[in-house]
Amino acid sequence: MAEVRYTEAEIIVANAAREIEDGDIVVIGQGIPMAAGVLAKATHAPNCVILTEAGLVGIEPFRNPLHIADPTCTRGYTYSCDMIDVFSTIVNRGLVDVTFLGVGQIDRYGNMNSTVFGDYHDFRMRMMGAGGAPEFFGYARKAVLTMRGGKFVEKVDYVSSPGYLDGYDAREKAGFPPGSGPKVVYATKGVFRFHEESKEIYLAGVFPGHTVEEIKAEVPWDLMVADELAELPPPTREEVELIREFAPEIAAGRRLQLELSIPRILNILASRTS
Amino acid sequence: MPEKFMQEDKRMTAREAVERFVSDGDSLVIANCLYGTPYALIHEIIRQGRKNLTVFQQGGIDEIDQLILGKCVSSLIMAYNFRVAGERIETVLERALRRGEVEVEDYSNYTLLAMLQAGAMGYPFLPVMSGIRETDVYRKETICAGQKFGEVECPFTGEKVVVVKGRNPDVAVLHVQRADKAGNAQLWGALINSKWACLASSRVIVSCEQIVDRDTIMRSPHLTIVPSFRVCAVVEEPWGAHPSELLGFYDYDMIFRSLLFMQTMSEEGGKAWMDEWVYGVADRREYLQHYADRFGLKYLQELRAKPYPSIPADYGASGRRAWDENEVSFNFQLTRDEFLRALEEKGGFVNG
């Protein structure tokens, strides 16, 4: 059998999808996480319930949504509620098994920033607010992180989502549900997990084609490395086909997507006006 | 106490609605987020040059940029804003922030919406998930300083609970699939913040794809997201959410949005976009005409939704009245005469 060729995003999506178990209630935003959720549902977790904070519960999107309320991609779903219901009756009641988040900045204890890069007032880049991150990250049983273009930093510029705070039992002491918190980070070169006791992040596996040194160079502290690095499976042919069918733009990655689509869109606009 | 709006017919143009119900200095909440964005109403607010608005926004997509380009906004209280590109591209909002033209307070989706829910319910505050305490959303205050979060002791457990303040914006703008002329507004698909944003506000301006008769509303009351007595104006505005989307009507216009995105990357481009698509047209009808002239109507038609109708719920009842055709009571199984006689005999009357 010929080797399966896959993109950087596809190996992340395929591995992140395996974090979902059949029957899980999964809160997902757009992008790589949604592709992972849909892949899980199409393969090993047909009974997982995917919901978005917009109040669309039990969705089966046929195209990767542009945003959490995107209706054409969530045509038909099984429970319609609003955002208050999602956060109060689902998240706060501890019913969320898995949540996914994309990483902007992350520190050694899994605290994350998706609000502002640089100084709060003299910023480099300003997203706004923290969206659903604080509550999903705070109260889901397990948070799965995906990182493309994100950064490890000694200290995040703004804490949007609480990870393990200062490590050890700080998170539980602060009142978050026992056992909750970030569990794994799927990045482009490898996968990271959190030390059982200290809650410090460590390198747990390296993707084919990358080295530990390369990864350590991207982390501003002396990164812990597992004694035995996990062998991460590349995506199967079926997984790759499913991802490209559902979300070709995710498979391509944002940079390539913009590179491919902007000239085409400019051409379309030009042809429409001529 | 919120004002009641009891007129039978509140139909008017977007221009009239904004003239009458939106003032400089108002707090405004955009009562749909990401989906079904009320662009027709927002463009009218910009055209009329409203100033110093405090805008509550759950999740912006590209309308906040337009309100900023229109110099309508002084403060933003928001939980999320869609951002397409990386650090190298400066957004309209970032430019305005750097120049000090707008101020922003950051919230999470839940804490922002809980403020509106509290306001809608008439409560001074509501508890939220206390984990927010461990974030900079809690610690960092700007325009809401001292009013952003509070803490109360649970009277039952003694536990410290984080609370948010109830908020009542002056006006909400909402776009829905259909409404009657009195303002019973029906929305389906992603509901997100719409209900709470409307019910929190003093005034609600609704635009809709279609005005329908009262009977249509009464046959599907579960779809009504805001009741007529809270709505002060109803504007029939087909394609009123373009270039965003509305379930059952149209998909978002990705190509048009790309045009907006590419133009607003530069100052001049943003100004040109506003001159062409907001100031250059008098109303939504002219906006659509301009779209058709510039690109061709078929590109709008391509966005049309294909039908996937809801299975209607049967709201029928037996229809039996209190007195049937034989003058027999549904509840007592007595005739009218027997009933009156019983009231006499048992002393049911108190006025002799």
Side-chain angles (χ1 to χ4, degrees):
Chain A
M1 201 174 81
E3 200 183 315
V4 179
R5 290 173 58 76
Y6 57 88
T7 69
E8 212 173 55
E10 283 165 346
I11 191 167
I12 296 178
V13 171
N15 278 285
R18 295 182 190 120
E19 296 289 333
I20 297 175
E21 290 170 39
D22 201 19
D24 277 353
I25 295 180
V26 190
V27 171
I28 302 192
Q30 36 110 213
I32 285 183
M34 184 63 83
V38 168
L39 179 63
K41 195 165 173 64
T43 54
H44 63 278
N47 299 304
C48 70
V49 176
I50 302 175
L51 64 122
T52 83
E53 59 197 299
L56 310 168
V57 181
I59 64 171
E60 297 188 3
F62 54 81
R63 183 178 79 208
N64 200 45
L66 175 67
H67 54 71
I68 56 161
D70 186 330
T72 54
C73 304
T74 52
R75 183 186 85 152
Y77 48 103
T78 53
Y79 176 46
S80 170
C81 60
D82 70 19
M83 192 181 261
I84 285 286
D85 296 315
V86 168
F87 280 104
S88 58
T89 65
I90 300 176
V91 177
N92 195 36
R93 296 299 302 279
L95 292 169
V96 175
D97 296 300
V98 188
T99 189
F100 284 84
L101 276 162
V103 176
Q105 289 180 332
I106 186 168
D107 71 12
R108 71 169 79 196
Y109 295 116
N111 303 299
M112 297 221 304
N113 172 16
S114 55
T115 305
V116 57
F117 293 165
D119 178 79
Y120 186 78
H121 293 287
D122 185 19
F123 53 83
R124 290 202 313 278
M125 179 160 118
R126 189 74 163 84
M127 292 66 75
M128 294 294 145
E135 286 85 4
F136 290 145
F137 214 63
Y139 293 82
R141 183 167 62 79
K142 159 166 125 177
V144 177
L145 308 177
T146 58
M147 181 154 104
R148 297 198 70 214
K151 270 201 174 91
F152 286 107
V153 292
E154 194 65 62
K155 187 175 181 305
V156 294
D157 296 332
Y158 182 104
V159 182
S160 312
S161 325
Y164 294 105
L165 309 178
D166 303 323
Y168 295 92
D169 58 352
R171 186 183 165 95
E172 280 191 35
K173 275 196 178 147
F176 291 104
S180 67
K183 292 294 180 295
V184 58
V185 182
Y186 289 101
T188 51
K189 294 176 182 154
V191 59
F192 303 80
R193 295 188 183 273
F194 294 84
H195 187 268
E196 214 163 294
E197 201 189 335
S198 71
K199 306 298 182 193
E200 186 173 327
I201 199 164
Y202 66 88
L203 183 63
V206 178
F207 284 143
H210 296 285
T211 65
V212 173
E213 287 63 41
E214 219 183 307
I215 292 168
K216 286 189 83 158
E218 292 175 358
V219 180
W221 63 86
D222 189 18
L223 177 72
M224 287 197 296
V225 179
D227 294 339
E228 279 180 50
L229 287 172
E231 197 56 56
L232 286 155
T236 66
R237 184 175 306 279
E238 187 201 8
E239 285 168 337
V240 165
E241 280 171 8
L242 282 165
I243 295 166
R244 286 180 204 168
E245 178 60 31
F246 173 72
E249 72 284 10
I250 297 299
R254 187 202 260 164
R255 189 159 9 123
L256 187 56
Q257 186 198 337
L258 287 176
E259 201 181 305
L260 292 174
S261 65
I262 286 187
R264 294 194 65 85
I265 287 170
L266 288 172
N267 275 339
I268 291 169
L269 284 166
S271 73
R272 284 186 181 187
T273 42
S274 64
Chain B
M1 209 187 301
E3 196 181 336
K4 287 190 283 185
F5 295 91
M6 300 307 288
Q7 309 90 300
E8 277 295 290
D9 189 349
K10 298 165 196 150
R11 285 174 296 176
M12 59 187 84
T13 61
R15 182 178 301 165
E16 268 179 283
V18 170
E19 267 168 14
R20 285 177 56 182
F21 298 108
V22 187
S23 307
D24 287 355
D26 271 357
S27 47
L28 169 78
V29 57
I30 297 164
N32 312 61
C33 85
L34 301 168
Y35 161 72
T37 311
Y39 276 107
L41 295 175
I42 289 167
H43 283 179
E44 189 53 40
I45 289 170
I46 298 169
R47 271 194 294 270
Q48 292 193 25
R50 289 293 175 277
K51 294 276 172 275
N52 292 321
L53 301 176
T54 294
V55 177
F56 286 82
Q57 176 61 301
Q58 193 74 49
I61 187 148
D62 31 40
E63 69 286 10
I64 293 293
D65 285 348
Q66 294 175 42
L67 281 163
I68 288 172
L69 287 168
K71 304 203 178 306
C72 306
V73 184
S74 56
S75 311
L76 272 165
I77 295 178
M78 66 197 304
Y80 175 79
N81 201 43
F82 197 81
R83 201 182 188 291
V84 208
E87 281 189 38
R88 270 168 300 176
I89 289 166
E90 196 176 42
T91 64
V92 173
L93 183 42
E94 284 171 336
R95 283 199 290 270
L97 270 169
R98 284 193 212 285
R99 286 185 199 137
E101 290 167 2
V102 292
E103 287 186 289
V104 176
E105 187 74 272
D106 297 284
Y107 278 90
S108 69
N109 268 331
Y110 184 59
T111 53
L112 177 63
L113 190 47
M115 295 200 300
L116 296 173
Q117 186 193 19
M121 300 195 301
Y123 293 155
F125 63 85
L126 267 185
V128 295
M129 282 171 260
S130 294
I132 198 72
R133 212 190 268 123
E134 304 303 326
T135 68
D136 283 326
V137 175
Y138 185 86
R139 293 183 283 252
K140 188 98 202 158
E141 296 179 311
T142 56
I143 42 183
C144 300
Q147 305 278 297
K148 196 175 179 184
F149 291 99
E151 251 187 7
V152 296
E153 189 177 289
C154 170
F156 307 107
T157 63
E159 191 192 344
K160 292 268 192 241
V161 180
V162 176
V163 298
V164 290
K165 186 180 158 75
R167 301 273 182 173
N168 296 104
D170 295 306
V171 55
V173 285
L174 173 75
H175 187 73
V176 296
Q177 281 96 343
R178 65 193 190 201
D180 66 11
K181 61 187 181 184
N184 288 299
Q186 300 200 324
L187 176 72
W188 56 93
L191 303 176
I192 326 180
N193 57 327
S194 305
K195 168 180 166 177
W196 301 109
C198 287
L199 297 184
S201 303
S202 304
R203 303 183 290 278
V204 180
I205 302 176
V206 167
S207 64
C208 61
E209 293 292 315
Q210 285 175 335
I211 302 262
V212 295
D213 57 22
R214 175 65 63 97
D215 188 57
T216 303
I217 301 295
M218 293 179 89
R219 282 168 180 264
S220 47
H222 58 286
L223 296 175
T224 306
I225 193 150
V226 54
S228 60
F229 55 81
R230 297 300 312 277
V231 172
C232 59
V234 183
V235 180
E236 188 172 44
E237 207 74 275
W239 294 92
H242 179 272
S244 78
E245 66 279 60
L246 198 62
L247 203 60
F249 284 82
Y250 41 87
D251 202 347
Y252 52 79
D253 193 337
M254 192 56 121
I255 300 289
F256 187 78
R257 273 201 162 140
S258 304
L259 174 73
L260 168 68
F261 166 66
M262 285 188 267
Q263 283 199 227
T264 52
M265 282 197 292
S266 77
E267 191 95 40
E268 313 72 54
K271 191 179 170 307
W273 195 92
M274 295 291 285
D275 284 342
E276 179 173 0
W277 294 99
V278 182
Y279 300 118
V281 294
D283 53 26
R284 189 78 347 193
R285 221 170 49 84
E286 279 192 19
Y287 167 97
L288 292 170
Q289 187 58 52
H290 181 61
Y291 189 104
D293 292 344
R294 176 123 189 239
F295 301 128
L297 206 53
K298 73 171 175 143
Y299 296 109
L300 274 186
Q301 297 306 337
E302 279 175 7
L303 303 173
R304 284 259 186 221
K306 296 181 180 70
Y308 183 66
S310 169
I311 308 298
D314 194 332
Y315 275 91
S318 80
R320 286 180 66 188
R321 293 171 168 268
W323 301 98
D324 70 14
E325 61 276 18
N326 302 316
E327 291 290 288
V328 173
S329 152
F330 179 78
N331 280 321
F332 296 108
Q333 295 296 314
L334 299 174
T335 66
R336 218 183 265 269
D337 286 344
E338 286 167 338
F339 173 70
L340 288 172
R341 217 160 35 237
L343 285 181
E344 290 286 355
E345 282 166 15
K346 308 286 180 195
F349 291 115
V350 292
N351 58 358

